[in-house]
Amino acid sequence: MKKYAIFGGSFDPPHICHEKIVELCLNELGVDKIFVIPTFLSPFKSSFTAPPDIRYAWLKKIFETFGSKVEVLDIEIKKQRSVYMIETVEYIAAKIGKQSYDKIYLIIGSDNLKDFDKWHRYKELIGIAEPVVISRGGVSSDNYKTIKMDCDISSTAFRDKPN
């Protein structure tokens, strides 16, 4: 049986810490594959800076060296709308088929912890995919598996940096 992980986000823009998260998860979770899934538009945001197709192309380029261990999918972008994570997790679970996997992890940043229980169909979501919290700035979780990461870069900081 195989283990998979889903790493979704705006990736607006993607950066070295996103790559580091994938490396850490491949090593520490022992997953067979990580699906990296950029949003069209996050349900928690009202706009994006880089267009979705550009962010998708950037991610494809960043993760091409990972080979078959990482697959970048444009499934949310193709819907041309905000997509709830439960929809994406259900899609991935159906795509790989229940009989072929032992576990699906959902990779989330510790910045999402405060509102995680407000995510659409939250209880169903954690029933399908086990959350794994990527700890930044000392924030971790008592409720979920946590992977500590020492990378203090954020997409927000990139966007907000003066020219």
Side-chain angles (χ1 to χ4, degrees), residues 14-21 151 153 158:
H15 51 74
I16 192 75
C17 291
H18 293 130
E19 190 173 0
K20 186 171 182 176
I21 288 168
C151 191
I153 299 172
F158 274 118

Side-chain angles (χ1 to χ4, degrees), residues 14-114:
H15 51 74
I16 192 75
C17 291
H18 293 130
E19 190 173 0
K20 186 171 182 176
I21 288 168
V22 168
E23 288 174 0
L24 284 169
C25 290
L26 284 170
N27 293 329
E28 295 194 25
L29 298 175
V31 296
D32 296 283
K33 179 177 280 198
I34 295 179
F35 296 101
V36 177
I37 304 171
T39 63
F40 174 75
L41 177 65
S42 167
F44 300 105
K45 297 180 180 173
S46 59
S47 65
F48 46 74
T49 303
D53 56 329
I54 299 295
R55 290 182 278 121
Y56 173 71
W58 286 337
L59 289 166
K60 292 283 282 184
K61 184 71 175 161
I62 288 168
F63 291 111
E64 69 186 1
T65 60
F66 285 76
S68 63
K69 288 279 198 182
V70 177
E71 186 175 351
V72 180
L73 300 175
D74 61 353
I75 57 174
E76 291 190 9
I77 291 171
K78 285 180 178 176
K79 292 185 178 187
Q80 297 286 299
R81 63 173 173 82
S82 291
V83 176
Y84 293 114
M85 184 52 72
I86 185 66
E87 293 178 65
T88 300
V89 168
E90 287 174 334
Y91 173 85
I92 296 295
K95 172 184 165 112
I96 58 181
K98 180 61 180 164
Q99 67 281 2
S100 68
Y101 70 89
D102 182 44
K103 183 172 291 280
I104 298 176
Y105 293 108
L106 176 61
I107 302 166
I108 65 168
S110 58
D111 55 326
N112 287 304
L113 276 178
K114 66 180 174 10

Side-chain angles (χ1 to χ4, degrees), residues 139-157:
V139 178
S140 61
S141 172
D142 294 330
N143 300 322
Y144 307 115
K145 183 183 299 264
T146 300
I147 295 176
K148 293 186 189 316
M149 183 179 77
D150 183 24
C151 191
D152 197 22
I153 299 172
S154 74
S155 295
T156 303

Side-chain angles (χ1 to χ4, degrees), residues 2-18:
K2 294 187 174 188
K3 291 193 278 186
Y4 296 91
I6 298 170
F7 181 30
S10 297
F11 304 104
D12 192 15
H15 51 74
I16 192 75
C17 291
H18 293 130

